[in-house]
């Protein structure tokens, strides 16, 4: 049951003001109605959100759906007539809308086996409940302080079961309470949060006598609002809360027991698929009925080992051989299960304890021991409430693993699995989020005759190396431009380009990447999570949906294109550049265009975005590289958006930006000067790359009223001396941010070395004259002799300068250096 301190946060949707020029922006999807449909029927489904009037296609992420008709329902909704196959998988499904101008967010809906009836108010009085038949699904809404009652007729010994989809519908923070009562209002069964169905509830009882039974539905704290929709299944179907074992070997037939149903255990056999399928479930059946939702079931490469009681103590551990999955039930409070296995030195195992992830109420704690009972490792919550550890076998021998509940609880459905697997490489792709709790720009929508760009992220585990993207079969007229992702990078720029004659259309892609070395046989696919219901404090996530396909579409053309004027010179370390970006507009389109650089090479900085002003066609995007910027020729793209009746997005071509080492570095000596005097700053140049012609070298960061001229250098220049002038008003003190810059021109473009060296300049106040100082005696005149030619002045070292300065100050004659 939820505490009422939780804050309700809806799913983010992004909307924009219309410019009235074009209706060409991505649609938004906020809800699919009805929230549930019956398989084996035809249903009219309404997709509501924003800018959906030009809907052309519904993307369903799983089989079993055939769209026979789509028509607009006003400007912000579309109605689709959909045939649902009789064998369509029951439970949660995902869909999104493709329009002529984009792809919506994806949303969920449910498929069930039972006929659907609607709630009819008033049904909030226990003595006047809404009568329904057994084996139906009721669609209703809980308003504030609302309680909905439904009455069914049952025979003695008949199962009465109910399961509600509320929080799982992903509408809002709705924590439902579900109860079965007899006609005298005696509560036979009640649930708030059933682990099997997360924050929703499921109950089942055996009718003690013939008569009427009441199903009560409400919000757990008597809250509610118009968004608290629910689908409650009421019938004689089985409703087990666990399956044991909760997994099996792929490609084999497995015997299981369904646990926790009011009618007792249900034994069944299931042939398992030959491949591992995420979110796989088994559905219990009994008396020609089927459970509304499945029990999660793990598909595994290895077989099962079941616990043998008693196994509470280490010396009673159930023995099995690896690799395997240990299965058990913490069947009563205080129960402990131990398993024994042999392993060889050097073997490494991933040990996963699965309980909450298979919807068990168990909060497992896992400990690993030597055969003599000496502890090795333990874990509680590395996988949320579940446990995990990586076990590197220290020596040949026997080992024992122990499982119990964190709070010492137990019960018939406290099922768990311990899966021992060798360490394997894994890879997962994604698109980095650009907005918190939002699906915004998590799809690929490319305007015809234009481009769209995104970043693809890669999460590597237990391997390294370059990656190559494999998008699969793209829609006609669409191409992808992407270089291999280096092994030291986890994100890469990707640009999609649609031909001018590309047909409008789209599809869901099995978007993948593989190791650049095909002999490694490492690959992985796309993954995205949509957050539906988030609560504070702690921003806990209560309803979400993961998908493993990438939605891609060619959409209507937009009235502008972007181009990067590819630099003819590199961006050097500790340097800067003005990257020119040009907009090609169609006649009549003059809106402001916001431009950003989604990908920046490591060590390169830039502002988050710049704007091409209304009516203008270009902008300079300032870039800078730090001293550790990765030296390489990188691929980048610009991404632009403009108001075209919503945000229309385009990308530039994939352009090359070279990061290079500086052509020259400078070592400058520190200097000092007295206010109003002159000095010099001496600099030695080190050339790492030759350049033609002359370059400019200058000092920036000088204090107020201190100046030094810009000088010319060539590739032969080894040292320069900057004459520095100060003013009586120049600020006294030690000034540390005195920086040397060099600007080299190549291919008629500047290569700006923003900081090739730094030094300090000390400005001193003049010493006051000594009191009562005697004037120095005038020297006696002497006969003038022919003076020898002066020798070239030898430059003093910094130490010699400091000694001379100290001597001059002692004599009261200090001046500039």
């Amino acid at each position: 049951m939820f505490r009422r301190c939780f804050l309700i946060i809806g799913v983010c949707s992004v909307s924009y003001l219309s410019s009235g020029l074009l209706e060409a922006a991505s649609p938004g999807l906020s809800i699919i109605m009805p929230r549930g449909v019956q398989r084996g029927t035809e249903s009219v489904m309404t997709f509501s959100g924003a800018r959906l009037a030009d809907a052309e296609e519904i993307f369903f992420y799983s089989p079993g759906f055939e769209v026979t008709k789509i028509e607009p329902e006003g400007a912000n909704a579309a109605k689709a007539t959909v045939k649902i196959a009789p064998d369509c998988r029951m439970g949660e499904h995902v869909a999104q809308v493709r329009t002529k101008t984009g792809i919506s967010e994806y949303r969920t809906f449910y498929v069930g086996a039972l006929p659907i009836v609607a709630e009819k108010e008033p049904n909030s009085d226990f003595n006047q409940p809404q009568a329904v038949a057994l084996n139906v699904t009721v669609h209703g809404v809980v308003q504030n302080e609302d309680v909905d009652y439904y009455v069914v007729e049952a025979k003695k010994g008949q199962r009465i079961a109910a399961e509600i989809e509320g929080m799982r519908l992903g509408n809002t923070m709705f924590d439902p309470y579900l109860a079965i009562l007899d006609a005298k209002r005696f509560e036979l069964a009640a649930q708030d949060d059933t682990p099997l169905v997360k924050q929703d509830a499921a109950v089942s009882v055996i009718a003690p006598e013939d008569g009427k039974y009441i199903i009560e539905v409400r919000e757990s704290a008597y809250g509610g609002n118009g968004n608290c929709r629910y689908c409650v299944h009421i019938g004689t179907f089985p409703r087990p809360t666990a399956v044991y074992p909760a997994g099996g070997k792929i490609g084999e037939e497995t015997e299981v027991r369904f646990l926790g149903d009011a009618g007792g255990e249900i034994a069944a056999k299931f042939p398992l698929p030959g491949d591992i399928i995420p979110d796989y479930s088994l559905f219990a059946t009994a008396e020609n009925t089927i459970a509304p939702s499945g029990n999660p079931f793990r598909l595994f490469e290895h077989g099962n080992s079941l616990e043998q009681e008693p196994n509470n103590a280490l010396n009673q551990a159930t023995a099995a051989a690896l690799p395997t999955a240990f299965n058990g039930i913490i069947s009563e409070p205080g129960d402990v299960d131990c398993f024994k296995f042999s392993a060889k030195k050097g073997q490494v195992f991933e040990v996963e304890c699965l309980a909450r992830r298979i919807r068990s109420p168990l909060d497992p704690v896992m400990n690993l021991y030597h055969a003599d009972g000496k502890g090795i490792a333990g874990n509680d919550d590395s996988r949320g409430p579940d446990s995990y550890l990586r076990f590197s076998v220290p020596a040949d021998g026997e080992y024992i693993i122990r499982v119990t509940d964190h709070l010492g609880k137990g019960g018939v459905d406290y099922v768990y699995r311990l899966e021992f697997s060798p360490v394997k490489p894994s890879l997962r792709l994604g698109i980095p989020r650009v907005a918190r709790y939002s699906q915004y720009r998590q799809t690929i929508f490319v305007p015809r005759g234009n481009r769209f760009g995104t970043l693809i992220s890669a999460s590597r585990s237990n391997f390294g190396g370059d990656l190559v993207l494999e998008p699969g079969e793209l829609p006609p007229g669409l191409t992808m431009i992407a270089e291999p992702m280096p092994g030291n990078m986890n994100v890469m720029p990707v640009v999609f380009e649609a031909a001018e004659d590309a047909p409008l259309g789209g599809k869901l892609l099995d978007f993948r990447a593989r190791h650049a070395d095909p002999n490694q046989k490492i690959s992985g696919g796309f993954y995205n999570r949509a957050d539906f219901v988030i609560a504070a404090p702690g921003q806990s996530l209560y309803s979400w949906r993961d998908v493993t396909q990438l939605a891609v579409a060619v959409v209507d053309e937009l009235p502008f294109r972007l181009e990067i004027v590819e630099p003819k010179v590199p961006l050097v370390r500790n340097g800067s550049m003005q990257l020119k970006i040009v907009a090609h507009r169609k006649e009549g389109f003059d809106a402001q265009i916001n431009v950003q650089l989604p990908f920046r090479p490591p060590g390169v900085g830039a502002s988050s975005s710049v704007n091409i002003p209304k009516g203008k066609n270009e902008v300079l995007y300032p870039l800078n590289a730090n001293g550790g910027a990765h030296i390489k020729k990188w691929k980048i793209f610009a991404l632009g958006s403009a108001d075209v009746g919503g945000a229309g997005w385009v990308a530039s071509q994939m352009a090359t930006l070279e990061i290079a080492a500086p052509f020259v570095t400078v070592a400058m000596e520190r200097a000092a000067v007295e206010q109003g005097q002159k000095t010099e700053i001496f600099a030695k140049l080190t050339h790492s790359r030759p350049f033609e012609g002359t370059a400019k070298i200058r000092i920036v960061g000088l204090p107020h009223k201190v100046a030094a001229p810009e000088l010319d250098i060539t590739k032969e220049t080894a040292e320069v001396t900057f004459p520095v002038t100060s003013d009586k008003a120049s600020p006294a003190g030690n000034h540390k941010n005195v920086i040397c810059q060099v600007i080299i021109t190549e291919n008629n473009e500047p290569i700006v070395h923003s900081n090739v060296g730094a030094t300090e300049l000390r400005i001193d106040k003049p010493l006051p004259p000594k009191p009562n100082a005697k004037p120095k005696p005038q020297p006696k005149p002497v006969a003038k002799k022919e003076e020898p030619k002066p020798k070239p002045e030898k430059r003093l070292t910094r130490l010699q300068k400091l000694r001379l300065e100290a001597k001059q100050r002692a004599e009261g004659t200090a001046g500039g250096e």
Side-chain angles (χ1 to χ4, degrees):
M1 181 173 180
F2 289 112
R3 299 182 186 273
R4 303 311 297 168
C5 60
F6 287 113
L7 172 67
I8 297 174
I9 302 176
V11 175
C12 299
S13 62
V14 182
S15 60
Y16 299 85
L17 298 176
S18 171
S19 67
L21 178 65
L22 291 172
E23 292 299 323
S26 287
L29 179 61
S30 56
I31 193 168
I32 301 171
M33 293 291 290
R35 301 302 293 121
V37 295
Q38 183 186 7
R39 64 181 181 176
T41 67
E42 184 175 84
S43 178
V44 176
M45 304 175 69
T46 301
F47 297 78
S48 301
R51 298 176 293 278
L52 291 167
D54 59 344
E56 290 198 330
E57 186 177 6
I58 308 298
F59 289 156
F60 289 101
Y61 279 71
S62 48
F65 304 94
E66 180 187 353
V67 178
T68 60
K69 184 180 180 182
I70 299 178
E71 54 187 340
E73 182 84 354
N76 297 316
K79 289 196 307 184
T81 302
V82 183
K83 289 182 178 180
I84 300 99
D87 61 350
C88 182
R89 175 182 56 82
M90 294 201 306
E92 187 180 47
H93 287 266
V94 179
Q96 64 192 144
V97 182
R98 180 188 66 79
T99 69
K100 291 181 179 180
T101 57
I103 304 171
S104 75
E105 303 93 338
Y106 64 79
R107 290 295 194 176
T108 61
F109 65 98
Y110 275 73
V111 171
L114 304 177
I116 296 169
V117 299
E119 175 197 7
K120 295 180 181 178
E121 293 283 2
N123 66 340
S124 298
D125 186 338
F126 180 84
N127 296 313
Q128 294 182 322
Q130 178 181 342
V132 297
L134 285 168
N135 296 317
V136 298
T137 297
V138 181
H139 288 187
V141 179
V142 172
Q143 301 287 351
N144 188 38
E145 299 184 353
D146 188 14
V147 181
D148 293 340
Y149 293 105
Y150 303 95
V151 60
V152 296
E153 296 272 358
K155 299 292 185 180
K156 181 179 179 179
Q158 192 173 28
R159 180 193 293 108
I160 306 171
E163 178 183 329
I164 191 167
E165 292 145 5
M167 184 76 79
R168 286 177 291 168
L169 295 180
N171 295 333
T172 188
M173 181 63 74
F174 173 39
D175 180 21
Y177 172 91
L178 188 61
I180 300 175
L181 305 94
D182 65 15
K184 299 177 182 178
R185 210 164 188 163
F186 181 78
E187 194 175 83
L188 303 177
Q191 279 290 338
D192 175 5
D193 300 333
T194 303
L196 173 67
V197 290
K198 302 178 183 178
Q199 279 70 40
D200 288 337
V203 289
S204 63
V205 300
I206 299 299
E209 59 186 17
D210 293 357
K212 294 182 178 182
Y213 293 88
I214 310 298
I215 312 302
E216 177 185 340
V217 176
R218 61 175 171 85
E219 203 275 335
S220 61
Y222 291 93
N225 57 60
N227 289 321
C228 292
R229 305 177 188 274
Y230 63 83
C231 303
V232 59
H233 310 281
I234 302 170
T236 60
F237 50 80
R239 183 56 284 169
T241 54
V243 62
Y244 181 78
K249 186 176 182 180
I250 54 177
E252 293 188 353
E253 186 177 66
T254 298
E255 295 185 3
V256 299
R257 293 182 292 138
F258 289 99
L259 311 174
D261 180 70
E265 290 188 7
I266 302 171
K269 290 183 180 181
F270 291 91
L272 299 183
D275 297 311
I276 293 176
I277 301 173
D279 301 324
Y280 190 73
S281 294
L282 299 181
F283 287 79
T285 58
E287 301 168 356
N288 296 319
T289 62
I290 186 169
S293 59
N295 292 85
F297 190 84
R298 296 276 297 179
L299 298 174
F300 195 49
E301 294 178 347
H302 308 291
N304 287 326
S305 299
L306 308 185
E307 68 162 322
Q308 300 295 321
E309 294 284 3
N311 66 339
N312 286 41
L314 298 183
N315 61 3
Q316 297 175 317
T318 299
L322 297 182
T324 190
F326 297 112
N327 294 265
I329 306 172
I330 302 300
S331 56
E332 59 185 16
D335 189 15
V336 175
D337 288 347
C338 298
F339 298 89
K340 181 170 61 177
F341 61 92
S342 297
K344 298 288 186 180
K345 180 179 180 179
Q347 287 183 300
V348 182
F349 295 99
E350 306 271 18
V351 186
E352 296 276 3
C353 185
L354 298 116
R356 294 294 177 88
R357 285 175 285 176
I358 53 174
R359 301 284 173 252
S360 168
L362 178 70
D363 181 3
V365 177
M366 178 171 65
N367 293 94
L368 187 64
Y369 301 90
H370 290 279
D372 61 5
K374 184 179 179 181
I376 298 175
N379 187 260
D380 183 4
D381 293 337
S382 281
R383 294 286 195 259
D386 284 351
S387 305
Y388 160 83
L389 57 84
R390 178 174 288 190
F391 177 38
S392 298
V393 181
D396 293 0
E398 290 189 335
Y399 297 88
I400 298 172
I401 194 161
R402 176 183 184 269
V403 178
T404 190
D405 183 78
H406 177 74
L407 296 178
K409 295 181 178 181
V412 66
D413 55 359
Y414 277 58
V415 172
Y416 65 88
R417 278 173 65 84
L418 287 172
E419 292 183 353
F420 277 70
S421 303
V423 175
K424 292 183 177 180
S426 64
L427 172 64
R428 175 182 283 181
L429 304 180
I431 296 176
R433 292 196 185 191
V434 297
R436 197 177 188 189
Y437 308 129
S438 171
Q439 299 178 51
Y440 194 53
R441 285 188 10 226
Q442 295 290 304
T443 57
I444 306 299
F445 44 96
V446 190
R448 193 176 348 194
N450 216 318
R451 307 180 188 92
F452 180 79
T454 189
L455 298 180
I456 296 294
S457 62
S459 176
R460 302 174 180 88
S461 294
N462 305 314
F463 80 98
D466 294 0
L467 300 176
V468 177
L469 290 183
E470 295 181 330
E473 186 179 350
L474 293 168
L478 197 62
T479 55
M480 184 187 79
I481 301 97
E483 290 198 331
M485 182 187 294
N488 62 346
M489 298 287 293
N490 58 13
V491 70
M492 67 185 301
V494 180
V495 169
F496 294 84
E497 185 168 1
E500 291 186 0
D501 60 351
L504 300 186
K507 63 191 306 184
L508 296 174
L509 294 181
D510 181 19
F511 193 88
R512 303 185 65 80
R514 62 169 175 81
H515 199 288
D517 179 0
N519 294 323
Q520 295 290 330
K521 301 187 185 307
I522 299 172
S523 68
F526 177 79
Y527 165 88
N528 184 32
R529 168 168 289 183
D531 305 330
F532 294 145
V533 180
I534 309 105
Q539 301 299 309
S540 299
L541 183 60
Y542 288 100
S543 179
W544 67 92
R545 178 65 190 195
D546 300 334
V547 298
T548 56
Q549 294 167 284
L550 176 62
V552 178
V554 176
V555 300
D556 265 345
E557 62 181 314
L558 288 175
F560 69 102
R561 301 175 73 246
L562 285 184
E563 178 189 0
I564 292 177
V565 179
E566 195 165 285
K568 299 176 183 177
V569 295
L571 171 62
V572 295
R573 284 179 169 177
N574 288 320
S576 60
M577 172 184 286
Q578 297 289 329
L579 184 67
K580 189 175 182 179
I581 298 174
V582 176
H584 301 282
R585 301 175 182 266
K586 288 196 173 183
E587 186 176 352
F589 178 74
D590 66 350
Q592 174 180 283
I593 302 172
N594 181 262
V595 180
Q596 53 185 274
L597 292 177
F599 178 77
R600 298 155 194 181
V604 174
S607 58
S608 58
S609 67
V610 295
N611 290 319
I612 300 177
K614 181 177 181 179
K616 302 296 183 182
N617 294 324
E618 61 183 52
V619 69
L620 295 177
Y621 209 127
L623 306 179
N624 60 79
N626 64 31
H630 195 129
I631 295 175
K632 182 183 173 181
K633 289 184 178 180
W634 295 92
K635 294 297 183 181
I636 64 170
F637 69 91
L639 188 65
S641 63
D643 190 347
V644 290
W649 293 88
V650 305
S652 72
Q653 85 282 18
M654 195 79 88
T656 300
L657 175 66
E658 181 182 1
I659 309 298
F663 287 46
V664 61
T665 55
V666 177
M668 295 193 294
E669 291 185 358
R670 289 179 291 179
V673 67
E674 192 176 273
Q675 289 172 328
Q677 300 298 320
K678 298 179 181 180
T679 188
E680 295 175 342
I681 295 180
F682 177 71
K684 288 185 177 181
L685 281 64
T686 301
H687 295 268
S688 58
R689 179 172 170 178
F691 59 89
E692 298 301 323
T694 61
K696 300 293 183 182
I697 186 168
R698 64 190 181 194
I699 294 177
V700 298
L702 289 169
H704 182 58
K705 292 195 173 183
V706 176
E710 185 176 82
L711 304 177
D712 289 338
I713 61 170
T714 69
K715 62 184 178 182
E716 308 294 340
T717 305
E719 57 184 46
V720 294
T721 301
F722 291 95
V724 179
T725 59
S726 69
D727 188 271
K728 292 181 179 180
S730 298
N734 199 28
H735 303 276
K736 297 184 178 182
N737 296 319
V738 178
I739 296 170
C740 186
Q741 294 184 344
V742 172
I743 301 175
I744 298 170
T745 300
E746 191 175 272
N747 298 321
N748 296 318
E749 294 184 8
I751 305 172
V752 180
H753 296 63
S754 303
N755 183 356
V756 291
T759 189
E760 299 176 9
L761 175 65
R762 194 182 75 239
I763 299 178
D764 299 318
K765 293 182 179 181
L767 290 176
K770 293 183 179 180
N772 303 320
K774 295 180 180 180
K776 291 185 178 180
Q778 296 295 325
K780 295 179 181 180
V782 294
K784 189 174 183 181
K785 297 181 180 178
E786 186 176 347
E787 296 181 1
K789 293 182 179 180
K791 296 180 179 179
E793 183 180 354
K794 182 181 179 182
R795 171 163 295 280
L796 300 178
T797 66
R798 176 63 181 162
L799 181 59
Q800 290 171 330
K801 289 180 180 180
L802 291 172
R803 287 173 176 168
L804 177 59
E805 179 186 337
K807 180 179 178 182
Q808 290 172 335
R809 284 185 172 276
E811 296 174 352
T813 61
E817 288 192 12

